């Protein structure tokens, strides 16, 4: 398990700043070229051994490399960065496709077996996506009695939907540097970070604010507000235990808006979380409305031909420096708050297994007001999940994801499972009456850990069908 480490430099002078921006722009242009050329379906089979198939056979001494003006080590590092992103993109797309295959009720077991077999073999997957007439199938699926034409078309459609658009970076990005592109050195007791630029043999040397000397592959990014470099690295984290963890202790966790997390043991962590998020959202909305009026005034002045007044209004009242600083400050406060509360949870409850909801869905916002849609868009469920998984490794626990459908809408009393009504923090069961909604959801999440009848990939309507079938037997 690794954690991210950031190192900061002192502000760059004008010459070094200009040189770094030119280097970053060249790296970004070459990375965009790599994404556009090797993200398509024709390059799937090249990615596994890309150092030979792409770097050696195609790009070395090519016109694209010559036009980039990058040194050989630098364009190779940019290529490694781009290929890593492309591989992750295909991996995420395949996971999305597998989920859709599992959730499709119109597919038989042989249909699913065929589709999984094609996805697993890159050569077969490549041939299917490119409409080859003669596709060499793996032995495990070549004798299946399925409608291949229908399934191949379905797989192509799923690929288009899950793969999405080819990434393109128009804004400044971080530069990936391998060990050959940088070094640390000391001058008069100060530590300097030296790294390569576009000019062969020329390195920028900047003083860093601490004494850490990193190794391996690093990423370097410019903080445009302070003109400082952010040097990003990673290091291994050694798990520690204040007391031995109980491997048999399974705790269900419900992630909420008002309370950060509620556990199946009846304890809530971060009870003021929703209040702070609401206050922050109201302040951002209020300032946004005022800025909207100023933008309207700016457009009106431009329309009337008062360009001088319009530019004065834009430069003095519609800047983004304070807005970006406030956004970064708020994000740092959220991360600090989430970290503190989750560490408290792991220290006090000492779980062996943490069961939580899979909230990797995106909502269409139907059925809710604009205010609540705006507030939920600021709900940092990904930050909560990532920190929960990281701290689980630190404290010797494990995180298990379960299907979140209807965990907050059914009664958690053992043997009941009836649908009830949830209103804010209250849940009412038609049989057992009122109970705390967050505790009810957390207990249901924990119960899903032992429920073999509801799989993680089940769609909500399938989960509802399973729950209703159980109720019919009561």
């Amino acid at each position: 398990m690794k954690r991210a480490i950031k190192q900061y430099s002192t502000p760059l002078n004008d010459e070094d700043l200009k040189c770094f921006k030119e280097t970053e722009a060249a790296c970004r242009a070459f990375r965009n070229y790599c994404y556009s050329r090797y993200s398509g379906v024709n390059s799937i089979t090249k990615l596994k051994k890309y150092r030979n198939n792409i770097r050696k056979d195609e790009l070395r001494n090519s016109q694209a490399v010559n036009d980039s003006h990058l040194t050989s080590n630098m364009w190779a590092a940019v290529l490694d960065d781009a290929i890593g992103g492309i591989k992750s993109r295909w991996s995420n797309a395949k996971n999305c496709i597998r989920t859709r295959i599992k959730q499709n009720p119109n597919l038989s077991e042989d249909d699913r077996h065929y589709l999984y077999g094609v996805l697993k073999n890159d050569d077969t997957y490549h041939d299917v996506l490119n409409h080859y007439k003669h596709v060499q199938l793996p032995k495990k699926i070549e004798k299946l009695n399925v409608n291949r034409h229908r399934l191949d078309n379905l797989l192509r459609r799923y690929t288009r939907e899950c793969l999405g658009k080819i990434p393109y970076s128009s804004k400044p990005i971080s530069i990936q540097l391998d060990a050959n592109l940088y070094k640390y050195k000391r001058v008069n007791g100060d530590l300097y970070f030296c790294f390569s630029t576009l000019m062969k043999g020329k390195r920028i040397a900047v003083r860093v604010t601490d004494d850490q000397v990193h190794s391996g592959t690093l990423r370097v990014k410019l903080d445009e507000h302070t003109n400082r470099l952010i040097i990003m690295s990673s290091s291994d984290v050694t798990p520690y235990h204040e007391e031995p963890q109980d491997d048999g202790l399974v705790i269900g966790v419900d992630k909420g808006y008002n309370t950060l997390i509620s556990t199946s043991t009846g304890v809530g962590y971060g009870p003021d979380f929703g209040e702070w998020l609401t206050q922050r959202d109201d302040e951002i909305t209020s300032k946004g409305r005022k800025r909207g009026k100023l933008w309207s005034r700016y457009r009106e002045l431009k329309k009337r031909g008062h360009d001088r007044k319009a530019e004065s209004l834009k430069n003095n009242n519609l800047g983004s420096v304070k807005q970006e600083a406030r956004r970064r400050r708020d994000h740092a406060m959220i991360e600090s708050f989430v970290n503190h509360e989750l560490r408290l949870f792991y220290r006090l409850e000492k779980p062996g297994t943490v069961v939580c909801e899979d909230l990797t869905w995106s909502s269409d916002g139907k059925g809710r007001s604009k205010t609540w849609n705006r507030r939920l868009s600021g709900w940092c469920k990904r930050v909560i999940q990532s920190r929960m998984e990281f701290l689980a490794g630190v404290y010797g626990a494990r995180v298990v994801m379960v299907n979140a459908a209807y965990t907050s809408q059914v009664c958690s009393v053992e043997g009941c499972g009836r649908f009830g009504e949830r209103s804010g923090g209250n849940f009412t069961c038609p049989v057992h009456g009122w109970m705390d909604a967050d505790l009810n959801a957390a207990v249901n999440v924990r119960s899903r850990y032992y429920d073999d009848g509801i799989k993680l990939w089940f769609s909500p309507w399938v989960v509802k069908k399973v729950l209703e079938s159980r109720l019919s037997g009561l």
Side-chain angles (χ1 to χ4, degrees):
M1 186 175 61
K2 295 183 177 294
R3 66 175 178 178
I5 299 176
K6 291 184 179 180
Q7 185 178 44
Y8 295 88
S9 74
T10 55
L12 274 65
N13 58 44
D14 293 341
E15 181 181 355
D16 289 343
L17 181 63
K18 180 181 178 181
C19 186
F20 178 82
K21 287 185 175 181
E22 291 175 351
T23 304
E24 182 277 327
C27 292
R28 174 166 27 108
F30 188 70
R31 195 178 80 157
N32 287 335
Y33 167 79
C34 294
Y35 267 116
S36 64
R37 180 167 179 180
Y38 299 111
S39 290
V41 296
N42 288 323
S43 301
I44 297 177
T45 55
K46 300 178 182 179
L47 298 178
K48 191 173 182 179
K49 297 181 179 179
Y50 76 93
R51 292 180 184 271
N52 288 328
N53 297 333
I54 296 177
R55 181 193 290 185
K56 183 178 179 181
D57 297 341
E58 295 188 15
L59 289 182
R60 182 177 293 177
N61 300 323
S62 67
Q63 187 63 36
V65 170
N66 294 332
D67 292 342
S68 69
H69 303 293
L70 296 172
T71 62
S72 58
N73 286 334
M74 187 162 285
W75 73 256
V78 175
L79 175 65
D80 292 342
D81 185 21
I83 295 299
I86 293 171
K87 285 182 176 180
S88 297
R89 184 167 170 261
W90 275 110
S91 178
N92 294 335
K94 287 183 177 181
N95 289 334
C96 175
I97 293 170
R98 290 187 183 99
T99 301
R100 294 198 176 196
I101 293 171
K102 292 174 184 176
Q103 294 178 348
N104 192 332
N106 299 319
L107 296 176
S108 65
E109 288 301 318
D110 284 348
D111 292 342
R112 291 189 174 92
H113 190 189
Y114 172 81
L115 292 172
Y116 292 149
V118 173
L119 274 177
K120 189 175 182 180
N121 190 296
D122 284 341
D123 292 329
T124 306
Y125 188 37
H126 169 270
D127 294 347
V128 169
L129 293 182
N130 285 281
H131 297 265
Y132 285 8
K133 292 183 179 180
H134 303 289
V135 178
Q136 185 66 36
L137 297 176
K139 293 182 178 180
K140 291 184 178 180
I141 63 173
E142 63 181 356
K143 294 183 180 180
L144 292 176
N145 185 20
V146 295
N147 186 344
R148 284 183 52 191
H149 177 73
R150 164 178 167 263
L151 296 179
D152 289 349
N153 284 334
L154 179 66
L155 188 59
R156 295 185 193 108
R157 178 163 63 85
Y158 281 168
T159 301
R160 288 194 300 270
E161 294 171 352
C162 294
L163 195 58
K165 295 181 179 179
I166 296 175
Y168 180 85
S169 299
S170 58
K171 296 182 179 180
I173 60 172
S174 60
I175 301 175
Q176 179 171 299
L177 302 176
D178 60 26
N180 297 322
L181 294 173
Y182 71 91
K183 69 176 181 179
Y184 286 90
K185 69 177 182 179
R186 288 193 178 274
V187 179
N188 297 328
D190 294 327
L191 184 63
Y192 283 80
F193 177 73
C194 311
F195 62 97
S196 300
T197 61
L198 284 179
M199 297 179 62
K200 191 173 182 180
K202 175 179 173 55
R203 290 194 171 192
I204 295 178
V206 292
R207 185 167 62 85
V208 294
T209 56
D210 57 38
D211 292 329
Q212 297 183 32
V213 177
H214 301 294
S215 60
T217 301
L218 305 180
R219 302 193 75 89
V220 180
K221 185 176 182 180
L222 176 68
D223 184 350
E224 296 184 350
H225 299 284
T226 61
N227 290 336
R228 298 190 304 168
L229 293 182
I230 305 174
I231 304 162
M232 294 168 281
S233 179
S234 61
S235 67
D236 295 324
V237 177
T238 303
Y240 64 90
H241 316 287
E242 296 177 356
E243 294 180 15
Q245 303 286 43
D246 184 0
D247 292 335
L249 183 57
V250 179
I251 296 180
V253 170
D254 174 62
K255 291 171 278 192
Y257 180 85
N258 293 319
T259 302
L260 183 67
I261 61 168
S262 301
T263 68
S264 56
T265 57
V267 183
Y269 296 89
D272 302 326
F273 185 58
E275 183 179 347
W276 184 84
L277 284 180
T278 301
Q279 180 181 357
R280 167 178 166 269
D281 175 75
D282 291 342
E283 291 176 359
I284 292 174
T285 303
S286 176
K287 289 186 177 181
R289 287 170 179 165
K290 293 177 182 178
R291 286 173 65 90
K293 291 180 181 179
L294 292 176
W295 277 112
S296 177
R297 176 63 177 165
Y298 167 78
R299 288 189 291 269
E300 182 180 350
L301 290 173
K302 292 288 285 185
K303 187 176 181 180
R304 291 181 178 180
H306 302 310
D307 293 341
R308 186 176 177 182
K309 285 186 177 181
E311 291 304 318
S312 176
L313 176 65
K314 182 179 178 181
N315 294 333
N316 296 310
N317 300 92
L318 292 171
S320 61
V321 175
K322 291 183 178 179
Q323 191 178 37
E324 284 297 313
R326 173 62 187 271
R327 184 190 63 79
R328 293 195 305 271
R329 188 166 61 249
D330 287 347
H331 188 71
M333 289 178 63
I334 289 175
E335 288 187 333
S336 177
F337 182 85
V338 170
N339 248 339
H340 177 270
E341 296 300 322
L342 290 181
R343 283 184 181 274
L344 192 63
F345 160 66
Y346 281 108
R347 286 173 182 167
L348 295 180
E349 310 231 7
K350 298 181 176 59
T353 301
V354 179
V355 186
C356 57
E357 311 154 286
D358 180 15
L359 297 180
T360 56
W361 42 262
S362 58
S363 174
D364 56 7
K366 294 181 179 179
R368 290 192 300 266
S369 65
K370 290 182 178 179
T371 300
W372 268 109
N373 280 331
R374 186 178 65 249
R375 288 176 180 173
L376 288 177
S377 68
W379 181 35
C380 49
K381 58 184 181 181
R382 297 193 181 207
V383 175
I384 299 172
Q385 185 62 35
S386 64
R387 298 312 298 171
M388 184 174 291
E389 292 175 354
F390 175 80
L391 292 174
V394 173
Y395 287 94
R398 67 188 184 107
V399 176
V400 177
M401 309 291 287
V402 296
N403 198 310
Y406 296 97
T407 51
S408 62
Q409 299 179 43
V410 297
C411 180
S412 61
V413 176
E414 187 175 356
C416 182
R418 290 178 173 83
F419 289 89
E421 292 186 5
R422 176 167 183 170
S423 177
N426 304 314
F427 177 82
T428 305
C429 173
V431 175
H432 298 94
W434 177 90
M435 59 187 72
D436 182 84
D438 293 332
L439 175 59
N440 176 71
V443 174
N444 280 327
V445 169
R446 184 180 184 275
S447 300
R448 289 280 169 91
Y449 176 68
Y450 303 100
D451 193 340
D452 294 331
I454 299 179
K455 304 297 183 182
L456 178 63
W457 57 84
F458 280 7
S459 61
W461 71 270
V462 173
V463 175
K464 186 175 182 180
K465 189 176 180 180
V466 172
L467 296 174
E468 288 176 341
S469 65
R470 293 174 180 175
L471 287 175
S472 63
L474 294 178

